[in-house]
Amino acid sequence: MMNPFKEKPMAMDEGFLGWKELYQKPYSKNDADPYTKCRVILMNGIETEAVMFGQQFHRNCADNELRREIAACRRQEQMQQKTINWLSPGDETQLETTIGYEHLAVDLTAWLAQHEPDEYVKQCMDFALLEDFDHLYRYSNLLDMDMNIPAHKLVKGYVDITPGRPTVAHHRYPFESVKRFADFKTADDRTKLHTLIITAGEQQTMNFYMNIGNTYPTDPGRKLYLEIGMVEEQHVTQYGGLMDPNCTWLENLLLHEYTECYLYDSFYEDEVDANIKKIWERHLMQEISHLHKATELLEKYEGKEWQQVLNSGEFPELLKFHDTKDYVRDVLANQVELTADKEDFVSIHDLPEDHEFFTYQEKVNGSNIRGVQSHVVIADHQKSSKDGEDYRDEKKENPVPGLKDRKKDNTTIGRTK
């Protein structure tokens, strides 16, 4: 495996690019491999996080020499983000893109969970996995109803489209999203990578829904983006809470740059689109340069070696997107009734009657649960279809008995005792 600390970095100024290099040919929405779309969406989120982190660092730093150094890196991160974000074609609707976002959320979370050595971090991933899985199902029904496009043609059968933990059960009191953070001084490097990756990925989804949800052309669609967008905020809070707040700004900078190197190397190895593969390679070279700069700044300003932040510079197993259907089905069968109780996860049936989960559910969803949009979109599809069924694309029948009925949307699982 590559150790980016041992690679010779390019000169920083070589990382600045002209307009022709920044604007690359978009992928074809009909022909692109679904995992190419996933890689584009994730790296857009990773670079957006890099820019946002850099801006916050800038605002919390009093040394202009240091601020200039991180400004140079951040300008290149902006260029990378623009290159990647503009790979999405103009004829791809926001809802088609949304299917890619939720497909990414499912297979990325499942891959990370399967490779995560920290059991608590893994449990956090498994928990939110079932919620993003359900979001994919809800948006797919909207897509089929509004545009007559079956989502399985977009994801090419890579992921099942079937109910997860029902979205109406996701709305929890804010306290429940705050989790225990990992101690990065003792944590496995994979945990550091995984928490940074999943936080940036979910943050990108949250930002996407925040900014485009209100532009959907119909009220039912706008309402669905509004509801699911609120759940994404919960996920970002949960995942962001796993990161060690005791890390310094420069330690965090090094971790961000290392994560980017890891992902670009991972995706360069797997990419099937020749043009995009070249972009991953170029960005990897830029990120190696940024990582060496972060190493230099950490030593200069804090007197620390990179070995005090990471246990090993050599990459762990590279991230490889693949079919995770069986893993998702297993988590769904065993954890669909879980909910959150502060830092922990418990069965909905074990919550006391006066738990804030129930009071928050009443406040947000109200007494008419049938009027909540994530349910309405399924009910409307069932009413409009000839057979009275929802839209699904399943390798096997849903493993949860209460979610097998295609003519009745379950609104009680994970929500009521």
Side-chain angles (χ1 to χ4, degrees):
M1 291 293 183
M2 175 190 289
N3 183 336
F5 293 99
K6 294 183 178 179
E7 298 292 319
K8 183 178 180 181
M10 61 191 288
M12 273 292 295
D13 284 355
E14 292 180 23
F16 296 114
L17 305 174
W19 304 121
K20 289 183 178 180
E21 295 170 296
L22 290 180
Y23 190 84
Q24 295 290 319
K25 180 182 177 181
Y27 60 73
S28 166
K29 73 171 187 177
N30 294 319
D31 301 326
D33 186 277
Y35 286 141
T36 290
K37 296 180 184 179
C38 286
R39 285 186 279 268
V40 168
I41 292 169
L42 178 57
M43 293 318 300
N44 185 22
I46 293 292
E47 291 297 352
T48 299
E49 162 62 19
V51 170
M52 293 173 68
F53 170 77
Q55 288 288 359
Q56 290 298 323
F57 193 167
H58 177 79
R59 297 169 194 175
N60 288 275
C61 176
D63 188 315
N64 267 8
E65 284 299 322
L66 177 53
R67 295 211 290 183
R68 276 188 275 270
E69 295 280 17
I70 59 176
C73 288
R74 188 169 63 254
R75 182 66 58 83
Q76 292 181 20
E77 308 282 11
Q78 277 277 12
M79 290 180 167
Q80 291 171 323
Q81 187 274 333
K82 298 298 180 292
T83 299
I84 296 167
N85 198 20
W86 266 250
L87 290 173
S88 299
D91 64 348
E92 186 174 66
T93 68
Q94 69 187 76
L95 188 49
E96 289 173 310
T97 303
T98 296
I99 298 300
Y101 268 78
E102 296 299 348
H103 178 199
L104 166 66
V106 172
D107 277 345
L108 174 65
T109 309
W111 191 95
L112 293 176
Q114 289 178 88
H115 292 80
E116 175 52 51
D118 185 305
E119 285 300 317
Y120 182 71
V121 173
K122 180 183 186 303
Q123 178 60 80
C124 288
M125 292 175 177
D126 285 341
F127 181 75
L129 167 63
L130 298 188
E131 303 192 339
D132 287 321
F133 189 58
D134 193 71
H135 298 167
L136 175 62
Y137 162 72
R138 309 282 158 177
Y139 281 126
S140 295
N141 275 265
L142 181 66
L143 180 69
D144 188 55
M145 197 162 42
D146 281 5
M147 301 179 183
N148 196 30
I149 298 175
H152 67 266
K153 289 190 174 181
L154 301 181
V155 301
K156 299 190 185 330
Y158 286 9
V159 60
D160 280 334
I161 298 172
T162 187
R165 182 183 300 115
T167 295
V168 291
H170 303 177
H171 311 304
R172 297 177 291 273
Y173 197 75
F175 290 179
E176 269 60 70
S177 298
V178 179
K179 301 304 178 187
R180 290 188 285 271
F181 61 84
D183 182 354
F184 279 10
K185 287 184 172 60
T186 58
D188 191 289
D189 286 347
R190 289 171 294 175
T191 296
K192 300 168 191 175
L193 282 169
H194 295 171
T195 53
L196 265 71
I197 291 168
I198 196 65
T199 301
E202 287 290 320
Q203 178 178 257
Q204 179 63 20
T205 304
M206 178 187 73
N207 290 343
F208 185 63
Y209 296 167
M210 283 173 68
N211 288 295
I212 61 90
N214 66 324
T215 67
Y216 196 79
T218 69
D219 272 354
R222 286 163 59 90
K223 291 177 180 177
L224 186 63
Y225 274 101
L226 176 71
E227 181 184 353
I228 293 179
M230 290 300 298
V231 180
E232 298 301 341
E233 194 282 332
Q234 295 179 183
H235 289 180
V236 176
T237 301
Q238 171 180 290
Y239 287 135
L242 299 175
M243 298 164 62
D244 191 344
N246 296 306
C247 288
T248 67
W249 283 99
L250 283 168
E251 288 173 337
N252 259 312
L253 178 64
L254 186 134
L255 287 170
H256 276 75
E257 303 298 356
Y258 183 76
T259 300
E260 291 178 81
C261 290
Y262 168 75
L263 287 174
Y264 281 127
D265 190 34
S266 296
F267 293 167
Y268 172 76
E269 291 295 324
D270 268 6
E271 187 54 65
V272 294
D273 183 304
N275 181 56
I276 295 178
K277 187 181 181 76
K278 291 178 182 177
I279 294 172
W280 301 151
E281 181 179 30
R282 184 179 73 197
H283 287 189
L284 173 59
M285 295 303 103
Q286 290 173 300
E287 293 303 341
I288 289 174
S289 176
H290 297 173
L291 178 65
H292 282 255
K293 174 57 70 173
T295 303
E296 172 192 319
L297 296 175
L298 182 67
E299 183 175 0
K300 178 179 178 180
Y301 287 91
E302 295 185 8
K304 298 174 184 173
E305 303 289 338
W306 67 261
Q307 291 91 341
Q308 294 173 257
V309 181
L310 291 160
N311 302 314
S312 170
E314 186 174 292
F315 291 148
E317 179 182 347
L318 297 181
L319 196 161
K320 182 181 180 68
F321 286 121
H322 59 74
D323 181 328
T324 62
K325 292 178 183 177
D326 289 340
Y327 181 79
V328 176
R329 285 176 58 83
D330 181 67
V331 176
L332 181 59
N334 292 288
Q335 299 190 31
V336 71
E337 291 274 33
L338 288 188
T339 191
D341 183 21
K342 301 293 192 301
E343 288 86 355
D344 299 315
F345 301 98
V346 300
S347 169
I348 187 69
H349 306 293
D350 292 336
L351 289 184
E353 296 288 349
D354 61 349
H355 195 277
E356 61 260 24
F357 172 81
F358 300 113
T359 55
Y360 190 77
Q361 278 276 316
E362 179 64 26
K363 179 69 175 179
V364 174
N365 289 334
S367 57
N368 180 24
I369 203 70
R370 298 292 170 181
V372 177
Q373 189 58 35
S374 57
H375 164 71
V376 171
V377 70
I378 304 303
D380 284 351
H381 190 287
Q382 290 163 338
K383 291 175 186 175
S384 64
S385 65
K386 292 180 181 179
D387 52 13
E389 294 184 341
D390 59 3
Y391 168 80
R392 299 189 186 194
D393 185 62
E394 304 167 306
K395 178 182 178 183
K396 300 176 184 175
E397 192 177 33
N398 195 297
V400 179
L403 298 176
K404 290 182 179 181
D405 189 347
R406 297 192 57 182
K407 296 185 178 183
K408 182 180 180 181
D409 184 42
N410 191 306
T411 60
T412 62
I413 288 179
R415 190 182 68 84
T416 64
K417 290 169 68 70

